[in-house]
Amino acid sequence: MVIRETCLAIWDVLHPAVMAQPQKEDWLQIADIFFQSCNFPNCVGAIDGKHIRVKKPIRSGSQFFNYKKYFSFVLFAVCDANYCFRYIDVGSYGSSSDSAVLGHSAFGQMLNNNELDLPGNTTLPGTTYPSMPFVFVGDEAFALGEHLMRPYSSRGLSIARRVFNYRLTRARRVVECAFGILANKWRFLHSPIHLKLETAISAVKAACVLHNFVRVRDGFNFEDSLSHSLESPNPSGVRGTRHGAAVRDHFTAYFLSPHGALPWQLEAI
């Protein structure tokens, strides 16, 4: 009871202070930092989902049993380029895919309904056409959309598509790093959580807002770590939209243009 009440209090106090929903000006600042640090323009967040190991919840059947053959619930997060969580959804079944978790989350519904107060379309740096939307970046588990970029399929890729996948990965990996920092700071995430499901969810939510609290006050220097105990949910095949494909193609062309190319990108792929 002490653990549960303490975690609930931490969440209630810190959530509005360190994880408030970004407004239009905040999204623009996030995009600027992504472009400076990850060389991906018009990017306002990296998204991913990770498994949190738990003991089998009572009367849950196989709902929390994931493809890795252990019981878990999903921590879905939207992260900025400073490795701070801008949005989290905690508690989805471990058997759920990333795309399903996103679709059922409040963030996913706001994204689909254009309720996130994202800035209006703007041209990419150094260009005058076309006007491009602001986007989130994720892995192949997510569906392609106007405001959500995912990699091209890995089969038979052209050089241009391989460059796009490389550039997207540079931006997307910040959420993987954020999960690594979270698990290495709050080390109860390195092993199964032996608490009731509701209390375990509260503990993870408290750890996420404490993560932001510490990041803001300790600064943003850190030891980059992609090795952590939070497993990715099982990727599943999902289809995107034609508009999303057109947006991705424009980004692909930009990354090979004189204004958008990086000197080392061809060697990196």
Side-chain angles (χ1 to χ4, degrees), residues 150-194:
R150 56 163 283 172
Y152 287 101
S153 173
S154 59
R155 296 181 178 179
L157 291 180
S158 64
I159 292 179
R161 293 187 172 189
R162 289 167 60 191
V163 167
F164 173 86
N165 284 0
Y166 166 70
R167 297 287 290 271
L168 182 138
T169 299
R170 281 175 53 84
R172 186 191 62 79
R173 69 189 294 273
V174 301
V175 68
E176 297 285 346
C177 291
F179 284 134
I181 299 167
L182 176 73
N184 288 330
K185 173 72 74 172
W186 315 106
R187 302 189 69 83
F188 75 100
L189 295 170
H190 278 298
S191 58
I193 303 175
H194 292 278

Side-chain angles (χ1 to χ4, degrees), residues 57-112:
I58 298 174
R59 293 186 294 275
S60 64
S62 61
Q63 291 174 319
F64 290 92
F65 194 67
N66 64 44
Y67 76 107
K68 292 282 190 178
K69 310 303 181 184
Y70 61 80
F71 292 95
S72 67
F73 59 79
V74 176
L75 163 61
F76 170 80
V78 180
C79 186
D80 64 25
N82 286 326
Y83 309 93
C84 289
F85 299 117
R86 292 296 181 151
Y87 174 86
I88 60 170
D89 181 272
V90 189
S92 295
Y93 298 137
S95 58
S96 302
S97 66
D98 274 353
S99 185
V101 173
L102 172 62
H104 289 97
S105 68
F107 175 84
Q109 295 173 14
M110 288 189 292
L111 179 63
N112 290 333

Side-chain angles (χ1 to χ4, degrees), residues 34 38 43 52 68-69 77 81 88-89 114 119 137 204 209 252 262:
F34 261 107
C38 304
C43 179
I52 307 294
K68 292 282 190 178
K69 310 303 181 184
I88 60 170
D89 181 272
N114 293 320
V137 293
V204 172
V209 291
T252 302
L262 297 176

Side-chain angles (χ1 to χ4, degrees), residues 12 21 36 49 114 186 190 208:
D12 290 341
Q21 181 175 332
Q36 294 170 14
N114 293 320
W186 315 106
H190 278 298
C208 289

Side-chain angles (χ1 to χ4, degrees), residues 6 14 22 79 102 108 138 149 176 181 228 236 244 248:
T6 301
L14 289 184
C79 186
L102 172 62
M149 294 291 99
E176 297 285 346
I181 299 167
H228 50 82
S236 58
R248 184 170 63 178

